[in-house]
Amino acid sequence: MVDVLESEMRQTGSDRVVSYFKERILKGDLKVGDRVMPERELALHLDVGRPLLREVMKSLVMLGFLDVRQGSGTYIAKADIRVLSDFFTFCLSQEQDILEDVMQARMAIECQAIRLACERANDSDLGRIGQWLGTLIDTLKDPEAGGRADFMFHQSIVAASHSRALTTLYGAMAELLQRSHVQRRVTTYRNPEIVQILVDAHREVFLSIVARDPDQADRRLREHFAIGDELRRRSLIETYRGTAETLTN
């Protein structure tokens, strides 16, 4: 209890401002579209100076959490996932070997999402996943376009789960995931055997969703991840072995 009180005492003015909005949004006291109390009243309520309050709120506006309407006031805004994605990408990109770690998080999200998609996907969802499967097949020789189609195929599965939490988390990693798909395509697209196996794996994943069989869908997706990792590993070995032979000849 003492530690909590000391923590609150150490809380800076800017922390109090951020906590005020966070706590009230979480409790439902403030919702998207609600008007924030006037600056003078809010400064007195939070016991902070108006210049500090103004700067913190300006930052929250830039992040998309608040919306200032000239002559009307400040309102709670609906946060833009792109801002979260930029922030997430910036933070994770500073870590070494982060793509492999992101891939593990991706697998956890997708395996739950595909089970939900088997229950919740509507005709539009299935049509979208099928469309990206077709684009994926049409762009097998183009690592950039093919990588994007691969990413969109998987993103469409997550969207078909109709889970706000899963789609938000997946969206936050979107830029890193798409980069990973493209990089992996670069190492595999010249090998017809690998390409065909990956196409078949994507098709089986899609068909399991259409069949609305969550256990099979989960199993197919995990097999797809395992096969993809093994094939990419083999492709890298062949690529570097060929490079080494070229250098020695």
Side-chain angles (χ1 to χ4, degrees):
M1 181 68 177
V2 174
D3 291 340
V4 173
L5 291 174
E6 290 179 350
S7 176
E8 291 179 350
M9 290 174 64
R10 290 196 299 269
Q11 194 177 45
T12 66
S14 58
D15 289 336
R16 287 202 298 279
V17 176
V18 173
S19 293
Y20 167 80
F21 287 107
K22 181 180 68 176
E23 293 301 324
R24 275 153 185 75
I25 290 173
L26 285 173
K27 291 178 180 178
D29 297 335
L30 286 174
K31 301 181 180 63
V32 174
D34 285 352
R35 187 173 184 274
V36 177
M37 71 172 70
E39 183 183 288
R40 182 188 298 274
E41 294 178 31
L42 187 55
L44 287 172
H45 179 74
L46 297 175
D47 190 24
V48 298
R50 292 178 67 180
L52 172 63
L53 175 63
R54 199 173 295 124
E55 286 302 312
V56 176
M57 291 183 68
K58 187 184 297 183
S59 298
L60 293 175
V61 169
M62 292 177 63
L63 290 171
F65 300 136
L66 297 177
D67 177 28
V68 176
R69 303 174 190 174
Q70 287 296 98
S72 178
T74 302
Y75 295 80
I76 302 297
K78 185 173 179 61
D80 188 341
I81 185 61
R82 290 173 298 182
V83 175
L84 177 60
S85 180
D86 289 343
F87 178 78
F88 199 77
T89 301
F90 181 78
C91 290
L92 289 181
S93 62
Q94 300 178 52
E95 303 291 333
Q96 292 186 346
D97 303 321
I98 194 60
L99 285 182
E100 187 59 37
D101 194 43
V102 168
M103 282 296 294
Q104 296 301 316
R106 168 205 170 190
M107 289 167 61
I109 293 172
E110 284 194 38
C111 286
Q112 177 59 22
I114 200 169
R115 299 187 73 90
L116 293 175
C118 287
E119 301 172 8
R120 303 176 178 178
N122 54 40
D123 290 343
S124 295
D125 295 322
L126 296 177
R128 190 176 303 111
I129 299 171
Q131 177 184 354
W132 283 113
L133 174 61
T135 304
L136 184 154
I137 294 172
D138 292 339
T139 55
L140 293 176
K141 297 182 179 180
D142 185 338
E144 188 73 32
R148 182 174 182 276
D150 200 336
F151 164 73
M152 291 302 299
F153 173 84
H154 288 273
Q155 185 186 58
S156 297
I157 292 174
V158 177
S161 73
H162 293 278
S163 165
R164 292 183 181 180
L166 293 179
T167 52
T168 298
L169 290 171
Y170 203 81
M173 299 187 296
E175 186 171 343
L176 290 171
L177 290 176
Q178 185 162 326
R179 188 184 300 271
S180 173
H181 278 291
V182 172
Q183 288 181 359
R184 287 166 181 255
R185 276 303 185 92
V186 169
T187 66
T188 60
Y189 82 101
R190 290 190 179 90
N191 189 318
E193 177 191 2
I194 292 177
V195 168
Q196 188 56 52
I197 291 174
L198 289 177
V199 167
D200 292 342
H202 281 87
R203 184 181 290 111
E204 289 301 317
V205 167
F206 173 58
L207 291 176
S208 66
I209 299 173
V210 174
R212 299 194 179 279
D213 186 334
D215 290 334
Q216 183 185 62
D218 184 289
R219 185 168 58 254
R220 293 296 189 192
L221 186 60
R222 291 179 187 277
E223 290 172 353
H224 166 49
F225 286 137
I227 291 171
D229 286 341
E230 174 61 22
L231 292 178
R232 280 184 286 271
R233 187 185 66 81
R234 283 168 46 190
S235 180
L236 280 171
I237 291 174
E238 292 174 6
T239 298
Y240 284 108
R241 179 176 293 156
T243 301
E245 291 175 353
T246 300
L247 292 174
T248 54
N249 290 338

